[in-house]
Amino acid sequence: MDTRERRPAMADPVSPRATLRARDAFAITIGVVVGAGIFRTPSLIAGVSGSEFVMLAAWVVGGVLSIIGALCYAELATTYPQAGGDYNYLRRAYGPRPAFLFAWARVSVIQTGSIALLCFIVGDYMAQLYDVGPLSSALYAGAAVLVLTAVNWLGTRQGATVQAWLTVAEIIGVLVIVVAGLWFAPADIAPVPGTGGDSAIGLILVFVLLTYGGWNEAVYVTSEVRDARTWMPRVLVLSLIAIAALYLLVNLAYLRVLGLGGMAEHSAVAAEVMGRVLGPSGAIVMSAIVIAAALTSANATMITGARSVYAVGRDFPALGFIGRWDARSGTPRAAFVTQGVLALALVVLGAFARDGFEVAVEYTAPVFWLFFLLVGIALFVLRRRDPDLPRPFRVPLYPALPLLFCITSAYLLYSSLAYTGRGALFGVGVLAVGGILLLLIKPTTRPEDDLP
């Protein structure tokens, strides 16, 4: 006998409205992807690349693989445009319990951890500009969490407007690095050549695709984008083409000034480039650029992350308080507050025991690629399960491209596990806690849960 509660058809009269324009979704996608990663991972990638060609080719390959993934997501987003993104695709393909595990991992580690990490980057650079004491970084990070949560709590339009302006500032900042490195670098700069050793292809792709990561976040606002079935495929693909071009230019600028060996030696490659080109004032310019980039990504991550929290609360009565959509603001206000509290708690912990960027990669990457793989497989499952459902956009060259997406995700899952080793136990522990919670709470059912 099915003991799950069956939700009445009209139990959720207040739902997301299509208030976002295509350019808002474009800004959210750019904002999530082009974050602090492009100022940090190139150094790590250069250190494990045997040549400049390998490093630059990896960025091109990363862009192509991301576009293939975006085509798969475009089909899912336009076929199932409800709020919740990956959560909804996983639920429809595998049922509510696997979907809950994804949502749990996303809420407790992937999104809130990303928000806390990005806000700490804001804090680190703000502390360099104006130090207010030994806890400067944590205080600035906490303030960033509170301010961004408050802005998005006010309403969808407010959050989207802030995102648009931050994205403009971020792109201008990144272009400053490109122009400075490629056109204004002094002629007497001597880039340091690389060692010419073997390339760790798996590890390179882990970091490259981490830097491209976040493009799938756009699907979480599909139900709020006007004419989403037409625009979402274009938003996903065009934003990734723009990002790939930008990343390639940035890395060419890094190589022009530092060389492969110099990039590997300096963890803050962008700051080093700006310092060599502009002198001491370059540090201040670079701080402003990184702060804008981190704020942009943190704000976009909040916007999309809250939709995950909302989707979970909507489907699990015990967590119903976070599954309410506020009609006045047009946002999941309770979800924003919950997400903000969790991120703030991580900031408080990080103030006393923060391990940094690489540790965040270690415990999030395996979980991330596991669920990416499951979403790729879900495309095949849902094609078979819903053969007559209208699909405004279909992945070209099916099944070749979705299969390549799945193979890539499986390889990156393996590579991230091989790289992180024991660090992956953090992600496993999070999933285990989510599994325990599933023993205590019961999901509501939807009509699609009864499909064969």
Side-chain angles (χ1 to χ4, degrees):
M1 179 178 178
D2 190 351
T3 58
R4 293 175 294 181
E5 297 181 29
R6 187 168 297 276
R7 184 179 56 189
M10 298 301 292
D12 187 19
V14 180
S15 58
R17 300 190 306 271
T19 59
L20 297 178
R21 295 158 294 188
R23 68 184 185 187
D24 295 324
F26 188 84
I28 290 171
T29 307
I30 296 286
V32 171
V33 178
V34 184
I38 192 58
F39 306 118
R40 186 72 179 273
T41 57
S43 173
L44 301 171
I45 294 166
V48 292
S49 296
S51 67
E52 294 182 359
F53 172 79
V54 169
M55 190 196 75
L56 293 174
W59 288 102
V60 175
V61 170
V64 172
L65 291 176
S66 297
I67 290 171
I68 290 173
L71 293 172
C72 296
Y73 267 74
E75 175 171 326
L76 292 168
T78 53
T79 307
Y80 311 101
Q82 299 84 2
D86 304 63
Y87 173 81
N88 273 321
Y89 315 146
L90 292 169
R91 171 161 183 150
R92 191 169 188 107
Y94 310 116
R97 295 187 181 278
F100 174 82
L101 286 180
F102 163 77
W104 169 256
R106 181 176 166 85
V107 170
S108 61
V109 172
I110 299 173
Q111 293 299 100
T112 51
S114 295
I115 292 167
L117 177 62
L118 290 164
C119 288
F120 259 118
I121 293 173
V122 173
D124 289 342
Y125 280 86
M126 284 296 297
Q128 291 184 19
L129 296 177
Y130 190 79
D131 195 337
V132 294
L135 294 178
S136 292
S137 181
L139 290 173
Y140 284 125
V145 171
L146 290 173
V147 170
L148 292 178
T149 298
V151 168
N152 286 287
W153 183 87
L154 289 174
T156 298
R157 289 298 330 145
Q158 287 84 346
T161 299
V162 169
Q163 183 64 30
W165 284 107
L166 284 173
T167 300
V168 170
E170 174 186 55
I171 298 303
I172 290 174
V174 175
L175 289 176
V176 166
I177 298 175
V178 173
V179 172
L182 294 181
W183 284 282
F184 291 97
D188 58 351
I189 281 182
V192 180
T195 59
D198 295 333
S199 298
I201 301 300
L203 186 54
I204 290 172
L205 286 177
V206 167
F207 284 119
V208 166
L209 291 172
L210 169 74
T211 315
Y212 275 105
W215 52 262
N216 60 308
E217 298 295 304
V219 301
Y220 286 85
V221 295
T222 301
S223 62
E224 299 161 70
V225 176
R226 301 170 190 168
D227 198 14
R229 295 181 187 273
T230 298
W231 283 107
M232 286 310 296
R234 301 178 192 178
V235 166
L236 287 167
V237 174
L238 291 177
S239 63
L240 279 169
I241 291 173
I243 291 165
L246 193 62
Y247 279 0
L248 197 59
L249 288 172
V250 169
N251 278 278
L252 285 170
Y254 291 158
L255 286 172
R256 165 73 175 82
V257 177
L258 301 177
L260 191 65
M263 289 178 65
E265 291 175 5
H266 299 283
S267 59
V269 283
E272 186 67 20
V273 167
M274 295 298 288
R276 293 194 185 190
V277 175
L278 299 179
S281 61
I284 297 176
V285 173
M286 194 63 243
S287 294
I289 291 172
V290 175
I291 289 169
L295 283 173
T296 306
S297 291
N299 187 68
T301 302
M302 281 190 174
I303 291 173
T304 58
R307 272 66 183 175
S308 294
V309 180
Y310 159 78
V312 174
R314 183 190 58 184
D315 286 342
F316 288 81
L319 304 175
F321 69 98
I322 60 174
R324 299 182 185 133
W325 197 275
D326 184 78
R328 179 178 299 178
S329 63
T331 64
R333 280 185 163 179
F336 270 116
V337 172
T338 302
Q339 178 179 256
V341 168
L342 290 172
L344 198 58
L346 290 175
V347 168
V348 172
L349 292 175
F352 303 99
R354 181 162 59 92
D355 294 321
F357 183 80
E358 290 190 54
V359 170
V361 176
E362 288 182 359
Y363 71 84
T364 59
V367 175
F368 175 82
W369 287 110
L370 169 63
F371 285 109
F372 235 39
L373 172 60
L374 291 177
V375 170
I377 296 172
L379 179 60
F380 293 98
V381 173
L382 293 173
R383 277 260 187 141
R384 173 170 291 188
R385 175 170 292 179
D386 302 328
D388 299 323
L389 202 63
R391 282 176 164 76
F393 177 84
R394 289 177 175 266
V395 181
L397 302 179
Y398 180 90
L401 292 187
L403 185 60
L404 180 58
F405 174 64
C406 291
I407 292 172
T408 302
S409 298
Y411 177 68
L412 269 295
L413 172 59
Y414 163 77
S415 296
S416 60
L417 286 170
Y419 163 65
T420 59
R422 294 182 179 179
L425 293 176
F426 285 98
V428 174
V430 167
L431 288 179
V433 172
I436 294 172
L437 285 176
L438 277 175
L439 300 176
L440 305 175
I441 61 177
K442 293 182 175 65
T444 58
T445 59
R446 300 182 188 173
E448 62 265 27
D449 293 335
D450 297 325
L451 293 175

